[in-house]
Amino acid sequence: DVPSDPETMLIDREDLSFIEGRIGEMLSDLEKRVLVLYMDGKSYVEISEEMGRHVKSVDNALQRIKRKLLKYLEEK
């Protein structure tokens, strides 16, 4: 659902900005890059080739990201 109330839209944007900032603090530079590429729809192989890393390194980074995000959501 897309809120039509300007106040709700502003609050939602502020919440999103806070969450993005918090994620930025929690993740390493490698994890941030992997997450952005993954969210852009790239496969593990494409990410590994673009970053010059092994596929296992990409998989490990995504597993760490998942754990960190789940922990953050549980604490909230």
Side-chain angles (χ1 to χ4, degrees), residues 39-52:
M39 291 180 67
D40 283 344
K42 304 242 178 175
S43 70
Y44 283 37
V45 173
E46 291 171 322
I47 296 169
S48 71
E49 289 172 354
E50 187 167 325
M51 295 184 65

Side-chain angles (χ1 to χ4, degrees), residues 6-36:
E7 181 180 3
T8 302
M9 290 173 61
L10 180 62
I11 291 170
D12 288 348
R13 271 191 236 148
E14 289 174 352
D15 288 345
L16 181 59
S17 292
F18 176 78
I19 291 168
E20 287 174 339
R22 185 68 182 111
I23 289 171
E25 293 171 3
M26 291 184 330
L27 302 180
S28 69
D29 289 340
L30 170 70
E31 293 165 346
K32 285 184 237 179
R33 286 184 59 207
V34 168
L35 180 59
V36 167

